[in-house]
Amino acid sequence: MERSRPPSAGHDHDTTRARVIQATLGCILDKGFYRASSNEIARRAGVSWGVIQHHFGTREALMVAAHRDGGALLEQLVEQADVGGEHVTERLTRYWELLDSYYGRPEYLARLQISLNLTRDPAVSAEAVATIVETDERIRKRFVDLEQQVAGDCAAPPDTGFLFHTLRGLALSHATLAGTTPAELKDRRHPEDRQTHAWLLIAALARQFGGDAVSDV
């Protein structure tokens, strides 16, 4: 797993660590999980593999750290989130914006590859798998609490997890399209599509759960 550092390591350690994590995610997005080699990650981060070993130990530990950092970021976003509002559409809109701010970003696609591959590879250590599973479960529980706030006193409150999976699915769909659309075609896509799709989905959800019709997203 990721190695500890002496108290004097300070800013340089954190800067290098963040640069390596970003290089790891970028490499996975460009080449895929298994082709994101140690040497390529080091090259992108502008450091030697020895430096990465000093900070993380192994490639497996580096991947776990990249996934765990995503969980920490998402927990911070959830902690700071305000999903309140007088009407269900307000709450749904704020909930969507929270989910989209994380799951709608390309970096999540890289972290998803990490999660899927590490938890299914028999060569991966039990400790690494346990860390991935624990992080994902902790996040799931946080969203259960948020969904209760979003549902409020709806006439027909959704089943636990329904809003999360539905709205996250839209965010993930747009992130996937953005990540797989050839560069020469990207200028043909309409930036307003994301908001239009969110508006339509939130309106449908609000009606389903006995709320008011959405006016804007």
Side-chain angles (χ1 to χ4, degrees), residues 3-54:
R3 296 181 177 179
S4 60
R5 70 180 190 271
S8 59
H11 178 72
D12 289 343
H13 176 282
D14 293 338
T15 300
T16 300
R17 184 186 183 284
R19 191 164 70 247
V20 171
I21 292 290
Q22 286 304 308
T24 300
L25 298 176
C27 195
I28 292 173
L29 285 172
D30 291 343
K31 295 179 175 295
F33 178 82
Y34 286 106
R35 295 186 65 187
S37 68
S38 304
N39 288 335
E40 177 61 15
I41 292 170
R43 185 191 69 78
R44 292 186 180 218
V47 299
S48 68
W49 175 241
V51 169
I52 296 179
Q53 285 180 306
H54 171 72

mmCIF file of all heavy atoms in Angstrom, residues 3-54:
data_model
loop_
_atom_site.group_PDB
_atom_site.id
_atom_site.type_symbol
_atom_site.label_atom_id
_atom_site.label_comp_id
_atom_site.label_asym_id
_atom_site.label_seq_id
_atom_site.Cartn_x
_atom_site.Cartn_y
_atom_site.Cartn_z
ATOM 1 N N ARG A 3 3.111 4.270 0.859
ATOM 2 C CA ARG A 3 4.059 4.424 1.946
ATOM 3 C C ARG A 3 3.855 5.731 2.687
ATOM 4 O O ARG A 3 3.442 6.740 2.112
ATOM 5 C CB ARG A 3 5.488 4.350 1.399
ATOM 6 C CG ARG A 3 5.815 2.986 0.789
ATOM 7 C CD ARG A 3 7.232 2.943 0.292
ATOM 8 N NE ARG A 3 7.540 1.615 -0.232
ATOM 9 C CZ ARG A 3 8.712 1.288 -0.766
ATOM 10 N NH1 ARG A 3 9.680 2.184 -0.847
ATOM 11 N NH2 ARG A 3 8.926 0.057 -1.209
ATOM 12 N N SER A 4 4.173 5.719 3.972
ATOM 13 C CA SER A 4 4.087 6.929 4.775
ATOM 14 C C SER A 4 5.308 7.792 4.506
ATOM 15 O O SER A 4 6.302 7.353 3.934
ATOM 16 C CB SER A 4 4.023 6.570 6.261
ATOM 17 O OG SER A 4 5.181 5.852 6.632
ATOM 18 N N ARG A 5 5.260 9.043 4.897
ATOM 19 C CA ARG A 5 6.378 9.944 4.676
ATOM 20 C C ARG A 5 6.776 10.603 5.981
ATOM 21 O O ARG A 5 5.945 10.763 6.873
ATOM 22 C CB ARG A 5 6.009 11.007 3.650
ATOM 23 C CG ARG A 5 4.988 12.044 4.141
ATOM 24 C CD ARG A 5 4.700 13.050 3.034
ATOM 25 N NE ARG A 5 3.937 14.188 3.491
ATOM 26 C CZ ARG A 5 2.637 14.266 3.521
ATOM 27 N NH1 ARG A 5 1.920 13.224 3.152
ATOM 28 N NH2 ARG A 5 2.014 15.353 3.931
ATOM 29 N N PRO A 6 8.010 11.036 6.112
ATOM 30 C CA PRO A 6 8.425 11.748 7.307
ATOM 31 C C PRO A 6 7.780 13.112 7.366
ATOM 32 O O PRO A 6 7.402 13.680 6.332
ATOM 33 C CB PRO A 6 9.954 11.862 7.137
ATOM 34 C CG PRO A 6 10.165 11.767 5.664
ATOM 35 C CD PRO A 6 9.111 10.819 5.165
ATOM 36 N N PRO A 7 7.614 13.684 8.551
ATOM 37 C CA PRO A 7 6.955 14.972 8.688
ATOM 38 C C PRO A 7 7.593 16.078 7.866
ATOM 39 O O PRO A 7 6.941 17.036 7.481
ATOM 40 C CB PRO A 7 7.080 15.258 10.198
ATOM 41 C CG PRO A 7 7.215 13.916 10.826
ATOM 42 C CD PRO A 7 7.984 13.101 9.848
ATOM 43 N N SER A 8 8.888 15.951 7.555
ATOM 44 C CA SER A 8 9.596 17.008 6.846
ATOM 45 C C SER A 8 9.366 16.982 5.339
ATOM 46 O O SER A 8 9.832 17.855 4.619
ATOM 47 C CB SER A 8 11.102 16.891 7.109
ATOM 48 O OG SER A 8 11.577 15.620 6.683
ATOM 49 N N ALA A 9 8.665 15.949 4.859
ATOM 50 C CA ALA A 9 8.490 15.820 3.412
ATOM 51 C C ALA A 9 7.737 17.012 2.839
ATOM 52 O O ALA A 9 8.077 17.525 1.790
ATOM 53 C CB ALA A 9 7.755 14.528 3.097
ATOM 54 N N GLY A 10 6.653 17.393 3.499
ATOM 55 C CA GLY A 10 5.947 18.640 3.210
ATOM 56 C C GLY A 10 5.391 18.787 1.820
ATOM 57 O O GLY A 10 4.922 17.842 1.190
ATOM 58 N N HIS A 11 5.507 20.030 1.329
ATOM 59 C CA HIS A 11 4.844 20.437 0.091
ATOM 60 C C HIS A 11 5.347 19.655 -1.111
ATOM 61 O O HIS A 11 4.555 19.279 -1.994
ATOM 62 C CB HIS A 11 5.045 21.935 -0.132
ATOM 63 C CG HIS A 11 4.447 22.440 -1.407
ATOM 64 N ND1 HIS A 11 3.095 22.567 -1.597
ATOM 65 C CD2 HIS A 11 5.029 22.815 -2.588
ATOM 66 C CE1 HIS A 11 2.847 23.019 -2.817
ATOM 67 N NE2 HIS A 11 4.013 23.169 -3.446
ATOM 68 N N ASP A 12 6.650 19.431 -1.222
ATOM 69 C CA ASP A 12 7.208 18.745 -2.382
ATOM 70 C C ASP A 12 6.613 17.348 -2.536
ATOM 71 O O ASP A 12 6.307 16.910 -3.645
ATOM 72 C CB ASP A 12 8.733 18.648 -2.259
ATOM 73 C CG ASP A 12 9.402 19.996 -2.451
ATOM 74 O OD1 ASP A 12 8.744 20.906 -2.978
ATOM 75 O OD2 ASP A 12 10.571 20.140 -2.059
ATOM 76 N N HIS A 13 6.439 16.661 -1.422
ATOM 77 C CA HIS A 13 5.848 15.320 -1.468
ATOM 78 C C HIS A 13 4.431 15.392 -2.007
ATOM 79 O O HIS A 13 4.046 14.611 -2.893
ATOM 80 C CB HIS A 13 5.843 14.706 -0.069
ATOM 81 C CG HIS A 13 5.157 13.370 0.000
ATOM 82 N ND1 HIS A 13 3.786 13.245 0.012
ATOM 83 C CD2 HIS A 13 5.654 12.105 0.022
ATOM 84 C CE1 HIS A 13 3.466 11.967 0.063
ATOM 85 N NE2 HIS A 13 4.575 11.255 0.071
ATOM 86 N N ASP A 14 3.630 16.313 -1.479
ATOM 87 C CA ASP A 14 2.235 16.418 -1.892
ATOM 88 C C ASP A 14 2.114 16.802 -3.362
ATOM 89 O O ASP A 14 1.250 16.295 -4.080
ATOM 90 C CB ASP A 14 1.508 17.453 -1.028
ATOM 91 C CG ASP A 14 1.390 17.006 0.424
ATOM 92 O OD1 ASP A 14 1.473 15.794 0.670
ATOM 93 O OD2 ASP A 14 1.236 17.877 1.299
ATOM 94 N N THR A 15 2.999 17.718 -3.821
ATOM 95 C CA THR A 15 2.965 18.145 -5.218
ATOM 96 C C THR A 15 3.318 16.995 -6.151
ATOM 97 O O THR A 15 2.644 16.761 -7.161
ATOM 98 C CB THR A 15 3.942 19.309 -5.446
ATOM 99 O OG1 THR A 15 3.572 20.412 -4.608
ATOM 100 C CG2 THR A 15 3.925 19.758 -6.902
ATOM 101 N N THR A 16 4.374 16.267 -5.811
ATOM 102 C CA THR A 16 4.787 15.127 -6.632
ATOM 103 C C THR A 16 3.716 14.057 -6.636
ATOM 104 O O THR A 16 3.376 13.483 -7.683
ATOM 105 C CB THR A 16 6.108 14.540 -6.110
ATOM 106 O OG1 THR A 16 7.120 15.549 -6.162
ATOM 107 C CG2 THR A 16 6.535 13.338 -6.937
ATOM 108 N N ARG A 17 3.158 13.792 -5.476
ATOM 109 C CA ARG A 17 2.126 12.772 -5.352
ATOM 110 C C ARG A 17 0.925 13.112 -6.236
ATOM 111 O O ARG A 17 0.411 12.256 -6.965
ATOM 112 C CB ARG A 17 1.684 12.657 -3.896
ATOM 113 C CG ARG A 17 0.680 11.555 -3.629
ATOM 114 C CD ARG A 17 0.187 11.612 -2.194
ATOM 115 N NE ARG A 17 -0.715 10.512 -1.907
ATOM 116 C CZ ARG A 17 -1.981 10.444 -2.311
ATOM 117 N NH1 ARG A 17 -2.493 11.430 -3.046
ATOM 118 N NH2 ARG A 17 -2.724 9.400 -2.010
ATOM 119 N N ALA A 18 0.478 14.369 -6.170
ATOM 120 C CA ALA A 18 -0.677 14.788 -6.969
ATOM 121 C C ALA A 18 -0.373 14.693 -8.456
ATOM 122 O O ALA A 18 -1.229 14.289 -9.253
ATOM 123 C CB ALA A 18 -1.072 16.220 -6.595
ATOM 124 N N ARG A 19 0.840 15.056 -8.848
ATOM 125 C CA ARG A 19 1.224 14.988 -10.253
ATOM 126 C C ARG A 19 1.234 13.547 -10.752
ATOM 127 O O ARG A 19 0.799 13.257 -11.869
ATOM 128 C CB ARG A 19 2.596 15.636 -10.455
ATOM 129 C CG ARG A 19 2.951 15.833 -11.924
ATOM 130 C CD ARG A 19 4.096 16.796 -12.115
ATOM 131 N NE ARG A 19 5.368 16.228 -11.656
ATOM 132 C CZ ARG A 19 6.059 16.675 -10.612
ATOM 133 N NH1 ARG A 19 5.588 17.689 -9.892
ATOM 134 N NH2 ARG A 19 7.215 16.134 -10.272
ATOM 135 N N VAL A 20 1.719 12.636 -9.933
ATOM 136 C CA VAL A 20 1.749 11.221 -10.310
ATOM 137 C C VAL A 20 0.331 10.665 -10.417
ATOM 138 O O VAL A 20 0.018 9.905 -11.348
ATOM 139 C CB VAL A 20 2.579 10.404 -9.293
ATOM 140 C CG1 VAL A 20 2.428 8.912 -9.557
ATOM 141 C CG2 VAL A 20 4.047 10.805 -9.358
ATOM 142 N N ILE A 21 -0.548 11.035 -9.486
ATOM 143 C CA ILE A 21 -1.940 10.575 -9.537
ATOM 144 C C ILE A 21 -2.608 11.052 -10.821
ATOM 145 O O ILE A 21 -3.294 10.280 -11.516
ATOM 146 C CB ILE A 21 -2.731 11.070 -8.312
ATOM 147 C CG1 ILE A 21 -2.235 10.406 -7.028
ATOM 148 C CG2 ILE A 21 -4.229 10.826 -8.504
ATOM 149 C CD1 ILE A 21 -2.543 8.946 -6.900
ATOM 150 N N GLN A 22 -2.422 12.325 -11.167
ATOM 151 C CA GLN A 22 -3.024 12.854 -12.385
ATOM 152 C C GLN A 22 -2.454 12.181 -13.625
ATOM 153 O O GLN A 22 -3.184 11.897 -14.588
ATOM 154 C CB GLN A 22 -2.818 14.373 -12.467
ATOM 155 C CG GLN A 22 -3.693 15.165 -11.515
ATOM 156 C CD GLN A 22 -5.175 14.864 -11.713
ATOM 157 O OE1 GLN A 22 -5.688 14.929 -12.843
ATOM 158 N NE2 GLN A 22 -5.868 14.545 -10.634
ATOM 159 N N ALA A 23 -1.158 11.908 -13.619
ATOM 160 C CA ALA A 23 -0.535 11.220 -14.742
ATOM 161 C C ALA A 23 -1.097 9.804 -14.871
ATOM 162 O O ALA A 23 -1.318 9.304 -15.983
ATOM 163 C CB ALA A 23 0.979 11.173 -14.556
ATOM 164 N N THR A 24 -1.344 9.167 -13.750
ATOM 165 C CA THR A 24 -1.910 7.815 -13.743
ATOM 166 C C THR A 24 -3.298 7.815 -14.364
ATOM 167 O O THR A 24 -3.616 6.983 -15.230
ATOM 168 C CB THR A 24 -1.984 7.268 -12.304
ATOM 169 O OG1 THR A 24 -0.667 7.230 -11.751
ATOM 170 C CG2 THR A 24 -2.592 5.883 -12.273
ATOM 171 N N LEU A 25 -4.141 8.742 -13.943
ATOM 172 C CA LEU A 25 -5.501 8.806 -14.476
ATOM 173 C C LEU A 25 -5.495 9.130 -15.966
ATOM 174 O O LEU A 25 -6.245 8.526 -16.751
ATOM 175 C CB LEU A 25 -6.308 9.865 -13.711
ATOM 176 C CG LEU A 25 -6.506 9.612 -12.210
ATOM 177 C CD1 LEU A 25 -7.236 10.786 -11.571
ATOM 178 C CD2 LEU A 25 -7.259 8.309 -11.963
ATOM 179 N N GLY A 26 -4.652 10.070 -16.356
ATOM 180 C CA GLY A 26 -4.562 10.430 -17.763
ATOM 181 C C GLY A 26 -4.072 9.278 -18.625
ATOM 182 O O GLY A 26 -4.567 9.057 -19.738
ATOM 183 N N CYS A 27 -3.114 8.549 -18.112
ATOM 184 C CA CYS A 27 -2.565 7.409 -18.848
ATOM 185 C C CYS A 27 -3.622 6.312 -19.010
ATOM 186 O O CYS A 27 -3.738 5.705 -20.078
ATOM 187 C CB CYS A 27 -1.336 6.879 -18.116
ATOM 188 S SG CYS A 27 -0.308 5.769 -19.102
ATOM 189 N N ILE A 28 -4.388 6.061 -17.971
ATOM 190 C CA ILE A 28 -5.456 5.052 -18.053
ATOM 191 C C ILE A 28 -6.506 5.467 -19.079
ATOM 192 O O ILE A 28 -6.978 4.645 -19.872
ATOM 193 C CB ILE A 28 -6.104 4.843 -16.681
ATOM 194 C CG1 ILE A 28 -5.113 4.175 -15.722
ATOM 195 C CG2 ILE A 28 -7.373 3.990 -16.792
ATOM 196 C CD1 ILE A 28 -5.595 4.086 -14.292
ATOM 197 N N LEU A 29 -6.868 6.743 -19.085
ATOM 198 C CA LEU A 29 -7.869 7.222 -20.041
ATOM 199 C C LEU A 29 -7.382 7.077 -21.474
ATOM 200 O O LEU A 29 -8.147 6.749 -22.382
ATOM 201 C CB LEU A 29 -8.206 8.690 -19.751
ATOM 202 C CG LEU A 29 -9.090 8.949 -18.535
ATOM 203 C CD1 LEU A 29 -9.175 10.442 -18.254
ATOM 204 C CD2 LEU A 29 -10.479 8.372 -18.731
ATOM 205 N N ASP A 30 -6.102 7.332 -21.693
ATOM 206 C CA ASP A 30 -5.555 7.285 -23.049
ATOM 207 C C ASP A 30 -5.248 5.874 -23.523
ATOM 208 O O ASP A 30 -5.432 5.556 -24.698
ATOM 209 C CB ASP A 30 -4.274 8.119 -23.120
ATOM 210 C CG ASP A 30 -4.547 9.610 -22.993
ATOM 211 O OD1 ASP A 30 -5.708 10.017 -23.168
ATOM 212 O OD2 ASP A 30 -3.592 10.363 -22.704
ATOM 213 N N LYS A 31 -4.768 5.017 -22.619
ATOM 214 C CA LYS A 31 -4.254 3.726 -23.032
ATOM 215 C C LYS A 31 -4.995 2.531 -22.440
ATOM 216 O O LYS A 31 -4.795 1.400 -22.886
ATOM 217 C CB LYS A 31 -2.765 3.629 -22.657
ATOM 218 C CG LYS A 31 -1.881 4.626 -23.399
ATOM 219 C CD LYS A 31 -0.428 4.490 -22.974
ATOM 220 C CE LYS A 31 0.466 5.384 -23.794
ATOM 221 N NZ LYS A 31 0.501 5.009 -25.240
ATOM 222 N N GLY A 32 -5.820 2.760 -21.429
ATOM 223 C CA GLY A 32 -6.472 1.649 -20.752
ATOM 224 C C GLY A 32 -5.685 1.218 -19.530
ATOM 225 O O GLY A 32 -4.491 1.513 -19.397
ATOM 226 N N PHE A 33 -6.353 0.512 -18.630
ATOM 227 C CA PHE A 33 -5.757 0.165 -17.339
ATOM 228 C C PHE A 33 -4.477 -0.652 -17.488
ATOM 229 O O PHE A 33 -3.448 -0.331 -16.889
ATOM 230 C CB PHE A 33 -6.772 -0.618 -16.504
ATOM 231 C CG PHE A 33 -6.241 -1.061 -15.170
ATOM 232 C CD1 PHE A 33 -6.219 -0.179 -14.098
ATOM 233 C CD2 PHE A 33 -5.762 -2.348 -14.984
ATOM 234 C CE1 PHE A 33 -5.723 -0.574 -12.865
ATOM 235 C CE2 PHE A 33 -5.277 -2.760 -13.752
ATOM 236 C CZ PHE A 33 -5.252 -1.863 -12.692
ATOM 237 N N TYR A 34 -4.503 -1.698 -18.276
ATOM 238 C CA TYR A 34 -3.363 -2.604 -18.343
ATOM 239 C C TYR A 34 -2.221 -2.068 -19.211
ATOM 240 O O TYR A 34 -1.078 -2.514 -19.084
ATOM 241 C CB TYR A 34 -3.802 -3.987 -18.828
ATOM 242 C CG TYR A 34 -4.546 -4.739 -17.759
ATOM 243 C CD1 TYR A 34 -5.929 -4.904 -17.828
ATOM 244 C CD2 TYR A 34 -3.890 -5.259 -16.649
ATOM 245 C CE1 TYR A 34 -6.622 -5.578 -16.824
ATOM 246 C CE2 TYR A 34 -4.575 -5.931 -15.643
ATOM 247 C CZ TYR A 34 -5.930 -6.084 -15.740
ATOM 248 O OH TYR A 34 -6.611 -6.741 -14.745
ATOM 249 N N ARG A 35 -2.509 -1.117 -20.077
ATOM 250 C CA ARG A 35 -1.449 -0.525 -20.898
ATOM 251 C C ARG A 35 -0.881 0.748 -20.277
ATOM 252 O O ARG A 35 0.028 1.354 -20.834
ATOM 253 C CB ARG A 35 -1.977 -0.244 -22.304
ATOM 254 C CG ARG A 35 -2.354 -1.511 -23.063
ATOM 255 C CD ARG A 35 -2.735 -1.196 -24.497
ATOM 256 N NE ARG A 35 -1.598 -0.673 -25.252
ATOM 257 C CZ ARG A 35 -1.694 -0.192 -26.484
ATOM 258 N NH1 ARG A 35 -2.886 -0.166 -27.086
ATOM 259 N NH2 ARG A 35 -0.646 0.256 -27.117
ATOM 260 N N ALA A 36 -1.438 1.135 -19.148
ATOM 261 C CA ALA A 36 -0.881 2.284 -18.410
ATOM 262 C C ALA A 36 0.310 1.788 -17.607
ATOM 263 O O ALA A 36 0.217 1.481 -16.423
ATOM 264 C CB ALA A 36 -1.945 2.889 -17.499
ATOM 265 N N SER A 37 1.439 1.670 -18.275
ATOM 266 C CA SER A 37 2.621 1.059 -17.672
ATOM 267 C C SER A 37 3.279 1.985 -16.660
ATOM 268 O O SER A 37 3.079 3.209 -16.673
ATOM 269 C CB SER A 37 3.637 0.703 -18.752
ATOM 270 O OG SER A 37 4.170 1.880 -19.337
ATOM 271 N N SER A 38 4.079 1.380 -15.802
ATOM 272 C CA SER A 38 4.812 2.149 -14.799
ATOM 273 C C SER A 38 5.705 3.194 -15.456
ATOM 274 O O SER A 38 5.766 4.345 -15.014
ATOM 275 C CB SER A 38 5.655 1.205 -13.938
ATOM 276 O OG SER A 38 4.857 0.209 -13.344
ATOM 277 N N ASN A 39 6.391 2.800 -16.521
ATOM 278 C CA ASN A 39 7.310 3.721 -17.200
ATOM 279 C C ASN A 39 6.568 4.869 -17.863
ATOM 280 O O ASN A 39 7.040 6.015 -17.848
ATOM 281 C CB ASN A 39 8.140 2.962 -18.241
ATOM 282 C CG ASN A 39 9.175 2.055 -17.607
ATOM 283 O OD1 ASN A 39 9.606 2.289 -16.478
ATOM 284 N ND2 ASN A 39 9.584 1.026 -18.329
ATOM 285 N N GLU A 40 5.416 4.572 -18.467
ATOM 286 C CA GLU A 40 4.651 5.629 -19.130
ATOM 287 C C GLU A 40 4.088 6.619 -18.110
ATOM 288 O O GLU A 40 4.077 7.839 -18.337
ATOM 289 C CB GLU A 40 3.525 5.020 -19.961
ATOM 290 C CG GLU A 40 2.605 6.029 -20.641
ATOM 291 C CD GLU A 40 3.320 6.934 -21.639
ATOM 292 O OE1 GLU A 40 4.460 6.617 -22.038
ATOM 293 O OE2 GLU A 40 2.731 7.971 -22.009
ATOM 294 N N ILE A 41 3.620 6.111 -16.994
ATOM 295 C CA ILE A 41 3.119 7.000 -15.936
ATOM 296 C C ILE A 41 4.238 7.896 -15.425
ATOM 297 O O ILE A 41 4.056 9.111 -15.246
ATOM 298 C CB ILE A 41 2.523 6.176 -14.782
ATOM 299 C CG1 ILE A 41 1.237 5.474 -15.241
ATOM 300 C CG2 ILE A 41 2.232 7.068 -13.573
ATOM 301 C CD1 ILE A 41 0.701 4.462 -14.250
ATOM 302 N N ALA A 42 5.416 7.310 -15.200
ATOM 303 C CA ALA A 42 6.564 8.091 -14.725
ATOM 304 C C ALA A 42 6.941 9.164 -15.742
ATOM 305 O O ALA A 42 7.232 10.311 -15.379
ATOM 306 C CB ALA A 42 7.743 7.162 -14.462
ATOM 307 N N ARG A 43 6.947 8.802 -17.025
ATOM 308 C CA ARG A 43 7.287 9.770 -18.073
ATOM 309 C C ARG A 43 6.307 10.937 -18.070
ATOM 310 O O ARG A 43 6.715 12.107 -18.142
ATOM 311 C CB ARG A 43 7.275 9.072 -19.439
ATOM 312 C CG ARG A 43 7.742 9.965 -20.586
ATOM 313 C CD ARG A 43 7.460 9.330 -21.936
ATOM 314 N NE ARG A 43 6.028 9.273 -22.217
ATOM 315 C CZ ARG A 43 5.313 10.322 -22.628
ATOM 316 N NH1 ARG A 43 5.874 11.522 -22.765
ATOM 317 N NH2 ARG A 43 4.020 10.192 -22.874
ATOM 318 N N ARG A 44 5.023 10.638 -17.980
ATOM 319 C CA ARG A 44 4.016 11.704 -17.986
ATOM 320 C C ARG A 44 4.112 12.594 -16.766
ATOM 321 O O ARG A 44 3.841 13.793 -16.838
ATOM 322 C CB ARG A 44 2.614 11.095 -18.071
ATOM 323 C CG ARG A 44 2.305 10.433 -19.390
ATOM 324 C CD ARG A 44 0.858 9.988 -19.455
ATOM 325 N NE ARG A 44 0.557 9.343 -20.720
ATOM 326 C CZ ARG A 44 -0.588 9.490 -21.389
ATOM 327 N NH1 ARG A 44 -1.551 10.253 -20.898
ATOM 328 N NH2 ARG A 44 -0.782 8.864 -22.527
ATOM 329 N N ALA A 45 4.472 11.996 -15.642
ATOM 330 C CA ALA A 45 4.582 12.772 -14.397
ATOM 331 C C ALA A 45 5.889 13.535 -14.319
ATOM 332 O O ALA A 45 6.046 14.401 -13.449
ATOM 333 C CB ALA A 45 4.448 11.844 -13.198
ATOM 334 N N GLY A 46 6.819 13.226 -15.205
ATOM 335 C CA GLY A 46 8.108 13.905 -15.203
ATOM 336 C C GLY A 46 9.017 13.472 -14.065
ATOM 337 O O GLY A 46 9.833 14.263 -13.587
ATOM 338 N N VAL A 47 8.870 12.226 -13.640
ATOM 339 C CA VAL A 47 9.706 11.687 -12.563
ATOM 340 C C VAL A 47 10.191 10.300 -12.976
ATOM 341 O O VAL A 47 9.741 9.745 -13.971
ATOM 342 C CB VAL A 47 8.937 11.588 -11.227
ATOM 343 C CG1 VAL A 47 8.457 12.953 -10.774
ATOM 344 C CG2 VAL A 47 7.748 10.625 -11.357
ATOM 345 N N SER A 48 11.095 9.744 -12.203
ATOM 346 C CA SER A 48 11.547 8.380 -12.461
ATOM 347 C C SER A 48 10.616 7.395 -11.759
ATOM 348 O O SER A 48 9.886 7.770 -10.828
ATOM 349 C CB SER A 48 12.976 8.191 -11.946
ATOM 350 O OG SER A 48 12.997 8.253 -10.524
ATOM 351 N N TRP A 49 10.667 6.127 -12.207
ATOM 352 C CA TRP A 49 9.865 5.128 -11.526
ATOM 353 C C TRP A 49 10.340 4.958 -10.089
ATOM 354 O O TRP A 49 9.546 4.658 -9.201
ATOM 355 C CB TRP A 49 9.909 3.804 -12.271
ATOM 356 C CG TRP A 49 9.187 2.705 -11.535
ATOM 357 C CD1 TRP A 49 9.713 1.544 -11.066
ATOM 358 C CD2 TRP A 49 7.800 2.693 -11.149
ATOM 359 N NE1 TRP A 49 8.741 0.811 -10.414
ATOM 360 C CE2 TRP A 49 7.551 1.492 -10.458
ATOM 361 C CE3 TRP A 49 6.747 3.591 -11.337
ATOM 362 C CZ2 TRP A 49 6.311 1.155 -9.943
ATOM 363 C CZ3 TRP A 49 5.499 3.262 -10.818
ATOM 364 C CH2 TRP A 49 5.286 2.054 -10.134
ATOM 365 N N GLY A 50 11.607 5.180 -9.843
ATOM 366 C CA GLY A 50 12.124 5.106 -8.487
ATOM 367 C C GLY A 50 11.456 6.106 -7.560
ATOM 368 O O GLY A 50 11.191 5.807 -6.389
ATOM 369 N N VAL A 51 11.170 7.291 -8.087
ATOM 370 C CA VAL A 51 10.472 8.307 -7.288
ATOM 371 C C VAL A 51 9.058 7.830 -6.963
ATOM 372 O O VAL A 51 8.576 7.987 -5.835
ATOM 373 C CB VAL A 51 10.432 9.657 -8.041
ATOM 374 C CG1 VAL A 51 9.491 10.635 -7.342
ATOM 375 C CG2 VAL A 51 11.824 10.246 -8.151
ATOM 376 N N ILE A 52 8.395 7.239 -7.940
ATOM 377 C CA ILE A 52 7.043 6.736 -7.701
ATOM 378 C C ILE A 52 7.070 5.605 -6.675
ATOM 379 O O ILE A 52 6.212 5.523 -5.786
ATOM 380 C CB ILE A 52 6.401 6.259 -9.022
ATOM 381 C CG1 ILE A 52 6.242 7.446 -9.976
ATOM 382 C CG2 ILE A 52 5.040 5.601 -8.757
ATOM 383 C CD1 ILE A 52 5.635 7.096 -11.319
ATOM 384 N N GLN A 53 8.056 4.741 -6.777
ATOM 385 C CA GLN A 53 8.189 3.667 -5.794
ATOM 386 C C GLN A 53 8.397 4.230 -4.396
ATOM 387 O O GLN A 53 7.880 3.692 -3.412
ATOM 388 C CB GLN A 53 9.363 2.759 -6.167
ATOM 389 C CG GLN A 53 9.076 1.833 -7.333
ATOM 390 C CD GLN A 53 10.271 0.957 -7.643
ATOM 391 O OE1 GLN A 53 11.376 1.428 -7.859
ATOM 392 N NE2 GLN A 53 10.039 -0.355 -7.652
ATOM 393 N N HIS A 54 9.149 5.304 -4.314
ATOM 394 C CA HIS A 54 9.397 5.929 -3.012
ATOM 395 C C HIS A 54 8.094 6.422 -2.391
ATOM 396 O O HIS A 54 7.889 6.313 -1.173
ATOM 397 C CB HIS A 54 10.369 7.097 -3.174
ATOM 398 C CG HIS A 54 10.529 7.927 -1.935
ATOM 399 N ND1 HIS A 54 11.217 7.481 -0.826
ATOM 400 C CD2 HIS A 54 10.066 9.164 -1.618
ATOM 401 C CE1 HIS A 54 11.185 8.409 0.122
ATOM 402 N NE2 HIS A 54 10.493 9.434 -0.343
#
